[in-house]
DNA sequence: GTCGTTGCAAAGCGTTTGCAGCCTA
DNA sequence: TAGGCTGCAAACGCTTTGCAACGAC
């Protein structure tokens, strides 16, 4: 029997929060959001739910230098991120950069890349 | 009295390792390398030496998603990094990408950016 | 009734801090 | 000698794990 996965209100809650999130969320944020719906929810459960969703491939880790790992649905296609230095929120960016290959020395093979921009978001810029 | 900084063999050792490093080093790597010269060196000392060098501005943090922070001399100018997925080593890249500003929505201001490429280095590609 | 899931608490792990003794300057 | 620096160990913050009770199927 291949790995089963049961439907529980805890997992549903974590799933739902990520489902409707418009930006990547950290475990702490997930925990806080999901706790509003589930009484007595434990952090460990959130970690386990996240691991499950990761290995299912339904979410992906968004790792930003110097920041806790965040997670977002993996059905968003290739994109990068922007972090506001004022409010710390992380935004999805569409589009990508080119000519990355020209940066590396000969014989190096590039298989993937990460681009993170930092600055001030529209809200904080006002 | 402004903050003094004394010359000790521990700090010298950490300084020297970073001085001659051709790629960014993690605290663990620094500790290992410096320990070869200093008997009984403590990790805490390495952390403190790194903090001191950071606030002096002599080194900078190189943060690669999902990796421990590494450090390198800050006199290298603007550049990005490449991490080999086989050997985990991090290489400096020269050059930079353009049109980053076009990725962000209107009203967003970009102040800095990080680009990390992943793939296989020349040595591991063979 | 099974056995995957949960909450709690303990254990890990990497980093930081408190402290008494050490050693630069 | 003064006070910054060091090593050790305890403290931290975040993540993982062990375990008995719980509950999905």
């Amino acid at each position: 029997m291949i790995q089963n996965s049961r439907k529980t209100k805890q997992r549903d809650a974590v799933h739902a929060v990520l489902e409707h999130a418009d930006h990547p969320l950290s475990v702490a944020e997930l925990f806080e959001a999901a706790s509003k719906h589930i009484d007595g929810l434990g952090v460990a459960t959130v970690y386990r739910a996240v691991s499950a969703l990761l290995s299912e491939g339904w979410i992906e880790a968004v790792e930003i230098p110097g920041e806790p790992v965040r997670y977002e649905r993996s059905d968003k296609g290739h994109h990068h991120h922007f972090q506001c230095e004022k409010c710390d929120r992380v935004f999805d960016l569409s589009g990508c950069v080119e000519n990355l290959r020209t940066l590396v020395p000969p014989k190096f093979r590039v298989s993937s890349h990460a681009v993170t921009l930092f600055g001030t978001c529209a809200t904080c810029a006002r």
Short mmCIF file of all heavy atoms in Angstrom, two decimals, chain D:
data_model
loop_
_atom_site.label_atom_id
_atom_site.label_comp_id
_atom_site.label_asym_id
_atom_site.label_seq_id
_atom_site.Cartn_x
_atom_site.Cartn_y
_atom_site.Cartn_z
P DT D 1 48.58 46.04 39.33
OP1 DT D 1 48.62 46.56 40.71
OP2 DT D 1 48.35 44.62 39.08
"O5'" DT D 1 47.41 46.82 38.62
"C5'" DT D 1 47.41 48.22 38.80
"C4'" DT D 1 46.64 48.82 37.68
"O4'" DT D 1 47.26 48.51 36.40
"C3'" DT D 1 45.22 48.27 37.62
"O3'" DT D 1 44.35 49.35 37.39
"C2'" DT D 1 45.26 47.30 36.45
"C1'" DT D 1 46.31 47.91 35.53
N1 DT D 1 47.05 46.92 34.69
C2 DT D 1 47.09 47.14 33.34
O2 DT D 1 46.54 48.05 32.79
N3 DT D 1 47.83 46.21 32.63
C4 DT D 1 48.51 45.13 33.14
O4 DT D 1 49.14 44.39 32.41
C5 DT D 1 48.41 44.96 34.57
C7 DT D 1 49.10 43.81 35.23
C6 DT D 1 47.70 45.85 35.28
P DA D 2 42.85 49.16 37.47
OP1 DA D 2 42.26 50.29 38.19
OP2 DA D 2 42.62 47.77 37.90
"O5'" DA D 2 42.43 49.29 35.94
"C5'" DA D 2 42.73 50.49 35.24
"C4'" DA D 2 42.12 50.42 33.85
"O4'" DA D 2 42.83 49.42 33.09
"C3'" DA D 2 40.65 50.01 33.83
"O3'" DA D 2 40.01 50.71 32.78
"C2'" DA D 2 40.71 48.52 33.58
"C1'" DA D 2 41.95 48.37 32.71
N9 DA D 2 42.70 47.12 32.90
C8 DA D 2 42.81 46.37 34.05
N7 DA D 2 43.58 45.33 33.92
C5 DA D 2 44.01 45.40 32.61
C6 DA D 2 44.86 44.58 31.84
N6 DA D 2 45.46 43.49 32.33
N1 DA D 2 45.08 44.93 30.56
C2 DA D 2 44.49 46.02 30.08
N3 DA D 2 43.67 46.87 30.69
C4 DA D 2 43.48 46.50 31.96
P DG D 3 38.40 50.64 32.66
OP1 DG D 3 37.93 51.98 32.26
OP2 DG D 3 37.87 49.97 33.87
"O5'" DG D 3 38.21 49.67 31.43
"C5'" DG D 3 38.93 49.90 30.23
"C4'" DG D 3 38.86 48.64 29.40
"O4'" DG D 3 39.69 47.62 29.99
"C3'" DG D 3 37.46 48.03 29.32
"O3'" DG D 3 37.33 47.46 28.04
"C2'" DG D 3 37.51 46.92 30.34
"C1'" DG D 3 38.92 46.44 30.08
N9 DG D 3 39.48 45.58 31.10
C8 DG D 3 39.13 45.49 32.42
N7 DG D 3 39.84 44.59 33.06
C5 DG D 3 40.71 44.08 32.11
C6 DG D 3 41.69 43.08 32.22
O6 DG D 3 42.04 42.43 33.20
N1 DG D 3 42.34 42.86 30.99
C2 DG D 3 42.06 43.53 29.83
N2 DG D 3 42.77 43.19 28.76
N3 DG D 3 41.12 44.46 29.72
C4 DG D 3 40.49 44.68 30.90
P DG D 4 36.07 47.72 27.14
OP1 DG D 4 35.99 49.16 26.81
OP2 DG D 4 34.97 47.05 27.84
"O5'" DG D 4 36.41 46.92 25.81
"C5'" DG D 4 37.56 47.27 25.06
"C4'" DG D 4 38.32 46.03 24.63
"O4'" DG D 4 38.84 45.35 25.80
"C3'" DG D 4 37.45 45.00 23.90
"O3'" DG D 4 38.26 44.42 22.89
"C2'" DG D 4 37.13 43.97 24.98
"C1'" DG D 4 38.42 43.99 25.78
N9 DG D 4 38.28 43.55 27.17
C8 DG D 4 37.44 44.06 28.13
N7 DG D 4 37.55 43.45 29.29
C5 DG D 4 38.52 42.48 29.07
C6 DG D 4 39.06 41.52 29.96
O6 DG D 4 38.79 41.32 31.14
N1 DG D 4 40.01 40.72 29.33
C2 DG D 4 40.40 40.84 28.02
N2 DG D 4 41.32 39.99 27.60
N3 DG D 4 39.91 41.75 27.18
C4 DG D 4 38.97 42.52 27.77
P DC D 5 37.69 43.33 21.89
OP1 DC D 5 38.38 43.52 20.60
OP2 DC D 5 36.21 43.37 22.00
"O5'" DC D 5 38.20 41.96 22.53
"C5'" DC D 5 39.58 41.71 22.54
"C4'" DC D 5 39.85 40.24 22.79
"O4'" DC D 5 39.68 39.98 24.21
"C3'" DC D 5 38.91 39.26 22.07
"O3'" DC D 5 39.69 38.19 21.55
"C2'" DC D 5 37.94 38.82 23.14
"C1'" DC D 5 38.78 38.93 24.41
N1 DC D 5 38.01 39.24 25.64
C2 DC D 5 38.22 38.48 26.79
O2 DC D 5 39.03 37.55 26.75
N3 DC D 5 37.52 38.79 27.92
C4 DC D 5 36.66 39.80 27.91
N4 DC D 5 36.01 40.07 29.05
C5 DC D 5 36.43 40.59 26.75
C6 DC D 5 37.13 40.28 25.63
P DT D 6 39.00 36.89 20.96
OP1 DT D 6 39.93 36.32 19.97
OP2 DT D 6 37.61 37.22 20.59
"O5'" DT D 6 39.00 35.94 22.22
"C5'" DT D 6 40.26 35.58 22.78
"C4'" DT D 6 40.11 34.34 23.64
"O4'" DT D 6 39.50 34.72 24.89
"C3'" DT D 6 39.22 33.26 23.02
"O3'" DT D 6 39.83 31.98 23.11
"C2'" DT D 6 37.95 33.31 23.82
"C1'" DT D 6 38.38 33.91 25.16
N1 DT D 6 37.36 34.81 25.74
C2 DT D 6 37.03 34.67 27.07
O2 DT D 6 37.55 33.85 27.80
N3 DT D 6 36.07 35.53 27.51
C4 DT D 6 35.41 36.49 26.77
O4 DT D 6 34.56 37.21 27.29
C5 DT D 6 35.79 36.59 25.39
C7 DT D 6 35.15 37.59 24.49
C6 DT D 6 36.75 35.75 24.93
P DG D 7 39.21 30.77 22.33
OP1 DG D 7 40.31 30.02 21.69
OP2 DG D 7 38.07 31.24 21.51
"O5'" DG D 7 38.63 29.91 23.53
"C5'" DG D 7 39.52 29.41 24.53
"C4'" DG D 7 38.71 28.73 25.61
"O4'" DG D 7 37.87 29.71 26.27
"C3'" DG D 7 37.77 27.63 25.11
"O3'" DG D 7 37.87 26.50 25.98
"C2'" DG D 7 36.38 28.27 25.16
"C1'" DG D 7 36.52 29.32 26.26
N9 DG D 7 35.73 30.53 26.03
C8 DG D 7 35.54 31.18 24.84
N7 DG D 7 34.81 32.26 24.94
C5 DG D 7 34.50 32.33 26.29
C6 DG D 7 33.73 33.28 27.01
O6 DG D 7 33.17 34.30 26.57
N1 DG D 7 33.65 32.98 28.36
C2 DG D 7 34.25 31.89 28.95
N2 DG D 7 34.05 31.76 30.26
N3 DG D 7 34.97 30.99 28.30
C4 DG D 7 35.05 31.27 26.98
P DC D 8 37.10 25.15 25.67
OP1 DC D 8 37.98 24.05 26.09
OP2 DC D 8 36.56 25.19 24.29
"O5'" DC D 8 35.90 25.22 26.70
"C5'" DC D 8 36.18 25.51 28.08
"C4'" DC D 8 34.88 25.71 28.83
"O4'" DC D 8 34.40 27.06 28.61
"C3'" DC D 8 33.76 24.76 28.39
"O3'" DC D 8 33.28 24.04 29.52
"C2'" DC D 8 32.68 25.69 27.82
"C1'" DC D 8 33.00 27.03 28.46
N1 DC D 8 32.63 28.17 27.60
C2 DC D 8 31.98 29.26 28.16
O2 DC D 8 31.74 29.26 29.37
N3 DC D 8 31.64 30.31 27.36
C4 DC D 8 31.93 30.27 26.06
N4 DC D 8 31.57 31.32 25.33
C5 DC D 8 32.60 29.16 25.46
C6 DC D 8 32.93 28.14 26.26
P DA D 9 32.23 22.86 29.32
OP1 DA D 9 32.67 21.74 30.16
OP2 DA D 9 32.00 22.67 27.88
"O5'" DA D 9 30.92 23.50 29.95
"C5'" DA D 9 31.03 24.48 30.99
"C4'" DA D 9 29.70 25.19 31.13
"O4'" DA D 9 29.62 26.28 30.17
"C3'" DA D 9 28.49 24.31 30.84
"O3'" DA D 9 27.45 24.66 31.73
"C2'" DA D 9 28.14 24.64 29.40
"C1'" DA D 9 28.47 26.13 29.37
N9 DA D 9 28.78 26.65 28.02
C8 DA D 9 29.40 25.99 26.99
N7 DA D 9 29.52 26.71 25.91
C5 DA D 9 28.96 27.93 26.26
C6 DA D 9 28.78 29.14 25.55
N6 DA D 9 29.18 29.31 24.28
N1 DA D 9 28.18 30.16 26.18
C2 DA D 9 27.78 29.99 27.45
N3 DA D 9 27.89 28.90 28.22
C4 DA D 9 28.50 27.90 27.55
P DA D 10 26.12 23.83 31.78
OP1 DA D 10 26.08 23.15 33.09
OP2 DA D 10 25.99 23.02 30.52
"O5'" DA D 10 25.01 24.96 31.76
"C5'" DA D 10 25.21 26.15 32.52
"C4'" DA D 10 24.37 27.26 31.94
"O4'" DA D 10 24.91 27.68 30.66
"C3'" DA D 10 22.92 26.84 31.68
"O3'" DA D 10 22.07 27.90 32.11
"C2'" DA D 10 22.87 26.64 30.17
"C1'" DA D 10 23.90 27.66 29.68
N9 DA D 10 24.52 27.34 28.38
C8 DA D 10 25.07 26.13 28.00
N7 DA D 10 25.56 26.14 26.78
C5 DA D 10 25.33 27.45 26.34
C6 DA D 10 25.62 28.10 25.13
N6 DA D 10 26.24 27.51 24.09
N1 DA D 10 25.25 29.40 25.01
C2 DA D 10 24.63 29.97 26.05
N3 DA D 10 24.31 29.47 27.23
C4 DA D 10 24.69 28.19 27.31
P DA D 11 20.51 27.81 31.86
OP1 DA D 11 19.84 28.46 33.02
OP2 DA D 11 20.16 26.42 31.48
"O5'" DA D 11 20.31 28.75 30.60
"C5'" DA D 11 20.89 30.05 30.62
"C4'" DA D 11 20.50 30.79 29.35
"O4'" DA D 11 21.25 30.30 28.22
"C3'" DA D 11 19.02 30.65 28.97
"O3'" DA D 11 18.58 31.92 28.50
"C2'" DA D 11 19.06 29.62 27.85
"C1'" DA D 11 20.37 29.94 27.17
N9 DA D 11 21.00 28.84 26.42
C8 DA D 11 21.20 27.55 26.83
N7 DA D 11 21.83 26.81 25.95
C5 DA D 11 22.08 27.66 24.89
C6 DA D 11 22.72 27.50 23.65
N6 DA D 11 23.26 26.35 23.25
N1 DA D 11 22.79 28.56 22.82
C2 DA D 11 22.24 29.72 23.23
N3 DA D 11 21.62 30.00 24.37
C4 DA D 11 21.57 28.93 25.17
P DC D 12 17.02 32.23 28.45
OP1 DC D 12 16.82 33.56 29.02
OP2 DC D 12 16.28 31.04 28.94
"O5'" DC D 12 16.76 32.34 26.88
"C5'" DC D 12 17.71 31.74 26.02
"C4'" DC D 12 17.58 32.29 24.63
"O4'" DC D 12 18.48 31.54 23.80
"C3'" DC D 12 16.18 32.09 24.04
"O3'" DC D 12 15.87 33.15 23.17
"C2'" DC D 12 16.30 30.76 23.31
"C1'" DC D 12 17.77 30.72 22.88
N1 DC D 12 18.37 29.37 22.93
C2 DC D 12 19.12 28.93 21.86
O2 DC D 12 19.27 29.67 20.89
N3 DC D 12 19.67 27.68 21.89
C4 DC D 12 19.50 26.91 22.96
N4 DC D 12 20.07 25.71 22.94
C5 DC D 12 18.73 27.34 24.08
C6 DC D 12 18.19 28.57 24.03
P DG D 13 14.32 33.38 22.78
OP1 DG D 13 14.11 34.85 22.70
OP2 DG D 13 13.46 32.54 23.64
"O5'" DG D 13 14.27 32.79 21.31
"C5'" DG D 13 15.09 33.37 20.28
"C4'" DG D 13 14.89 32.58 19.01
"O4'" DG D 13 15.60 31.33 19.12
"C3'" DG D 13 13.43 32.22 18.71
"O3'" DG D 13 13.22 32.36 17.30
"C2'" DG D 13 13.30 30.80 19.17
"C1'" DG D 13 14.71 30.25 18.91
N9 DG D 13 15.11 29.17 19.80
C8 DG D 13 14.74 28.99 21.10
N7 DG D 13 15.28 27.93 21.65
C5 DG D 13 16.06 27.39 20.64
C6 DG D 13 16.88 26.24 20.64
O6 DG D 13 17.10 25.44 21.55
N1 DG D 13 17.51 26.06 19.40
C2 DG D 13 17.34 26.87 18.33
N2 DG D 13 18.02 26.54 17.21
N3 DG D 13 16.58 27.94 18.31
C4 DG D 13 15.97 28.14 19.51
P DC D 14 11.77 32.10 16.73
OP1 DC D 14 11.44 33.20 15.80
OP2 DC D 14 10.86 31.74 17.83
"O5'" DC D 14 12.03 30.80 15.85
"C5'" DC D 14 13.13 30.82 14.93
"C4'" DC D 14 13.38 29.41 14.46
"O4'" DC D 14 13.89 28.63 15.55
"C3'" DC D 14 12.13 28.68 13.94
"O3'" DC D 14 12.44 28.07 12.70
"C2'" DC D 14 11.86 27.64 15.02
"C1'" DC D 14 13.26 27.37 15.54
N1 DC D 14 13.35 26.81 16.90
C2 DC D 14 14.16 25.69 17.12
O2 DC D 14 14.79 25.21 16.16
N3 DC D 14 14.25 25.16 18.35
C4 DC D 14 13.57 25.71 19.35
N4 DC D 14 13.69 25.16 20.56
C5 DC D 14 12.73 26.85 19.17
C6 DC D 14 12.65 27.37 17.92
P DT D 15 11.26 27.37 11.84
OP1 DT D 15 11.49 27.72 10.44
OP2 DT D 15 9.96 27.63 12.48
"O5'" DT D 15 11.62 25.83 12.02
"C5'" DT D 15 12.92 25.40 11.61
"C4'" DT D 15 13.11 23.95 11.98
"O4'" DT D 15 13.16 23.82 13.42
"C3'" DT D 15 12.01 23.00 11.50
"O3'" DT D 15 12.63 21.95 10.76
"C2'" DT D 15 11.35 22.51 12.78
"C1'" DT D 15 12.45 22.67 13.81
N1 DT D 15 12.00 22.91 15.20
C2 DT D 15 12.45 22.06 16.18
O2 DT D 15 13.18 21.11 15.95
N3 DT D 15 12.00 22.36 17.45
C4 DT D 15 11.18 23.39 17.83
O4 DT D 15 10.86 23.54 19.00
C5 DT D 15 10.74 24.24 16.75
C7 DT D 15 9.82 25.39 17.05
C6 DT D 15 11.17 23.97 15.50
P DT D 16 11.78 20.69 10.24
OP1 DT D 16 12.37 20.23 8.99
OP2 DT D 16 10.34 21.03 10.32
"O5'" DT D 16 12.09 19.60 11.37
"C5'" DT D 16 13.44 19.34 11.69
"C4'" DT D 16 13.51 18.21 12.70
"O4'" DT D 16 13.03 18.66 13.99
"C3'" DT D 16 12.67 16.97 12.34
"O3'" DT D 16 13.49 15.83 12.56
"C2'" DT D 16 11.50 17.04 13.31
"C1'" DT D 16 12.12 17.73 14.52
N1 DT D 16 11.21 18.50 15.39
C2 DT D 16 11.23 18.27 16.74
O2 DT D 16 11.94 17.42 17.26
N3 DT D 16 10.40 19.06 17.48
C4 DT D 16 9.56 20.04 17.01
O4 DT D 16 8.86 20.70 17.78
C5 DT D 16 9.56 20.23 15.58
C7 DT D 16 8.68 21.26 14.97
C6 DT D 16 10.38 19.47 14.84
P DT D 17 12.94 14.37 12.25
OP1 DT D 17 14.06 13.61 11.66
OP2 DT D 17 11.64 14.49 11.53
"O5'" DT D 17 12.65 13.77 13.70
"C5'" DT D 17 13.56 14.04 14.75
"C4'" DT D 17 13.09 13.36 16.02
"O4'" DT D 17 12.23 14.24 16.77
"C3'" DT D 17 12.29 12.07 15.80
"O3'" DT D 17 12.71 11.14 16.80
"C2'" DT D 17 10.85 12.50 16.00
"C1'" DT D 17 11.00 13.60 17.05
N1 DT D 17 9.97 14.65 17.05
C2 DT D 17 9.52 15.14 18.27
O2 DT D 17 9.91 14.70 19.33
N3 DT D 17 8.60 16.15 18.19
C4 DT D 17 8.09 16.71 17.05
O4 DT D 17 7.27 17.63 17.12
C5 DT D 17 8.58 16.16 15.81
C7 DT D 17 8.07 16.70 14.51
C6 DT D 17 9.49 15.17 15.86
P DG D 18 12.21 9.62 16.80
OP1 DG D 18 13.40 8.75 16.82
OP2 DG D 18 11.21 9.46 15.72
"O5'" DG D 18 11.48 9.51 18.21
"C5'" DG D 18 12.11 10.02 19.39
"C4'" DG D 18 11.25 9.72 20.61
"O4'" DG D 18 10.25 10.75 20.78
"C3'" DG D 18 10.48 8.40 20.53
"O3'" DG D 18 10.37 7.87 21.84
"C2'" DG D 18 9.13 8.84 19.97
"C1'" DG D 18 8.95 10.24 20.57
N9 DG D 18 8.24 11.20 19.74
C8 DG D 18 8.35 11.35 18.38
N7 DG D 18 7.62 12.33 17.92
C5 DG D 18 7.00 12.85 19.03
C6 DG D 18 6.10 13.95 19.15
O6 DG D 18 5.66 14.68 18.27
N1 DG D 18 5.70 14.14 20.47
C2 DG D 18 6.12 13.39 21.54
N2 DG D 18 5.63 13.71 22.72
N3 DG D 18 6.96 12.37 21.43
C4 DG D 18 7.37 12.17 20.16
P DC D 19 9.60 6.49 22.10
OP1 DC D 19 10.26 5.88 23.27
OP2 DC D 19 9.47 5.73 20.84
"O5'" DC D 19 8.16 7.00 22.56
"C5'" DC D 19 8.06 7.96 23.62
"C4'" DC D 19 6.60 8.23 23.93
"O4'" DC D 19 6.11 9.30 23.08
"C3'" DC D 19 5.69 7.02 23.68
"O3'" DC D 19 4.75 6.92 24.74
"C2'" DC D 19 4.99 7.38 22.38
"C1'" DC D 19 4.88 8.89 22.51
N1 DC D 19 4.73 9.61 21.22
C2 DC D 19 3.96 10.78 21.18
O2 DC D 19 3.47 11.20 22.23
N3 DC D 19 3.79 11.42 20.00
C4 DC D 19 4.35 10.93 18.90
N4 DC D 19 4.16 11.60 17.76
C5 DC D 19 5.13 9.73 18.91
C6 DC D 19 5.29 9.12 20.08
P DA D 20 4.13 5.43 25.08
OP1 DA D 20 4.87 4.90 26.25
OP2 DA D 20 4.01 4.64 23.84
"O5'" DA D 20 2.68 5.84 25.57
"C5'" DA D 20 2.54 6.89 26.54
"C4'" DA D 20 1.24 7.64 26.27
"O4'" DA D 20 1.34 8.34 25.00
"C3'" DA D 20 0.02 6.73 26.17
"O3'" DA D 20 -1.08 7.37 26.81
"C2'" DA D 20 -0.21 6.61 24.67
"C1'" DA D 20 0.24 7.98 24.18
N9 DA D 20 0.69 8.01 22.78
C8 DA D 20 1.43 7.06 22.12
N7 DA D 20 1.70 7.37 20.87
C5 DA D 20 1.11 8.61 20.69
C6 DA D 20 1.04 9.48 19.59
N6 DA D 20 1.60 9.22 18.41
N1 DA D 20 0.37 10.65 19.76
C2 DA D 20 -0.19 10.91 20.95
N3 DA D 20 -0.19 10.17 22.06
C4 DA D 20 0.49 9.02 21.87
P DA D 21 -2.53 6.65 26.88
OP1 DA D 21 -2.98 6.76 28.29
OP2 DA D 21 -2.48 5.35 26.20
"O5'" DA D 21 -3.42 7.66 26.02
"C5'" DA D 21 -3.41 9.04 26.36
"C4'" DA D 21 -4.16 9.81 25.28
"O4'" DA D 21 -3.43 9.75 24.04
"C3'" DA D 21 -5.57 9.30 24.98
"O3'" DA D 21 -6.42 10.42 24.81
"C2'" DA D 21 -5.38 8.52 23.69
"C1'" DA D 21 -4.30 9.33 23.00
N9 DA D 21 -3.49 8.61 22.02
C8 DA D 21 -2.84 7.41 22.19
N7 DA D 21 -2.18 7.01 21.14
C5 DA D 21 -2.39 8.01 20.20
C6 DA D 21 -1.96 8.18 18.88
N6 DA D 21 -1.17 7.31 18.23
N1 DA D 21 -2.35 9.29 18.23
C2 DA D 21 -3.13 10.17 18.87
N3 DA D 21 -3.61 10.12 20.12
C4 DA D 21 -3.20 9.01 20.74
P DC D 22 -7.93 10.20 24.37
OP1 DC D 22 -8.71 11.26 25.04
OP2 DC D 22 -8.27 8.78 24.53
"O5'" DC D 22 -7.89 10.54 22.82
"C5'" DC D 22 -7.25 11.75 22.39
"C4'" DC D 22 -7.47 11.93 20.90
"O4'" DC D 22 -6.59 11.06 20.16
"C3'" DC D 22 -8.90 11.62 20.41
"O3'" DC D 22 -9.28 12.65 19.54
"C2'" DC D 22 -8.75 10.28 19.69
"C1'" DC D 22 -7.32 10.36 19.17
N1 DC D 22 -6.61 9.08 18.97
C2 DC D 22 -5.98 8.84 17.74
O2 DC D 22 -6.04 9.70 16.85
N3 DC D 22 -5.29 7.68 17.56
C4 DC D 22 -5.23 6.78 18.54
N4 DC D 22 -4.53 5.67 18.32
C5 DC D 22 -5.87 7.00 19.78
C6 DC D 22 -6.55 8.14 19.95
P DG D 23 -10.80 12.76 19.06
OP1 DG D 23 -11.14 14.21 19.01
OP2 DG D 23 -11.62 11.80 19.82
"O5'" DG D 23 -10.70 12.24 17.56
"C5'" DG D 23 -9.83 12.91 16.63
"C4'" DG D 23 -9.89 12.14 15.33
"O4'" DG D 23 -9.19 10.88 15.47
"C3'" DG D 23 -11.29 11.77 14.87
"O3'" DG D 23 -11.26 11.68 13.46
"C2'" DG D 23 -11.47 10.37 15.42
"C1'" DG D 23 -10.09 9.84 15.15
N9 DG D 23 -9.68 8.68 15.91
C8 DG D 23 -10.08 8.32 17.19
N7 DG D 23 -9.49 7.23 17.60
C5 DG D 23 -8.65 6.85 16.56
C6 DG D 23 -7.78 5.77 16.43
O6 DG D 23 -7.53 4.89 17.24
N1 DG D 23 -7.14 5.77 15.20
C2 DG D 23 -7.32 6.70 14.22
N2 DG D 23 -6.62 6.56 13.10
N3 DG D 23 -8.13 7.74 14.32
C4 DG D 23 -8.77 7.75 15.51
P DA D 24 -12.22 12.49 12.56
OP1 DA D 24 -11.93 13.93 12.69
OP2 DA D 24 -13.59 11.96 12.83
"O5'" DA D 24 -11.78 12.02 11.10
"C5'" DA D 24 -10.45 12.30 10.66
"C4'" DA D 24 -10.00 11.24 9.66
"O4'" DA D 24 -9.69 10.02 10.36
"C3'" DA D 24 -11.04 10.87 8.60
"O3'" DA D 24 -10.32 10.64 7.40
"C2'" DA D 24 -11.67 9.60 9.15
"C1'" DA D 24 -10.49 8.96 9.88
N9 DA D 24 -10.85 8.18 11.08
C8 DA D 24 -11.71 8.54 12.09
N7 DA D 24 -11.77 7.67 13.05
C5 DA D 24 -10.88 6.67 12.68
C6 DA D 24 -10.48 5.47 13.28
N6 DA D 24 -10.91 5.06 14.48
N1 DA D 24 -9.58 4.71 12.63
C2 DA D 24 -9.12 5.11 11.46
N3 DA D 24 -9.42 6.24 10.78
C4 DA D 24 -10.31 6.97 11.45
P DC D 25 -11.14 10.45 6.06
OP1 DC D 25 -10.25 10.95 4.98
OP2 DC D 25 -12.48 11.01 6.24
"O5'" DC D 25 -11.22 8.89 5.92
"C5'" DC D 25 -10.04 8.11 5.92
"C4'" DC D 25 -10.38 6.64 5.87
"O4'" DC D 25 -10.64 6.15 7.21
"C3'" DC D 25 -11.61 6.27 5.03
"O3'" DC D 25 -11.29 5.17 4.19
"C2'" DC D 25 -12.64 5.84 6.06
"C1'" DC D 25 -11.75 5.28 7.15
N1 DC D 25 -12.33 5.24 8.50
C2 DC D 25 -11.97 4.20 9.38
O2 DC D 25 -11.16 3.35 9.00
N3 DC D 25 -12.50 4.15 10.62
C4 DC D 25 -13.37 5.09 11.01
N4 DC D 25 -13.86 5.00 12.24
C5 DC D 25 -13.77 6.15 10.14
C6 DC D 25 -13.23 6.18 8.91
#
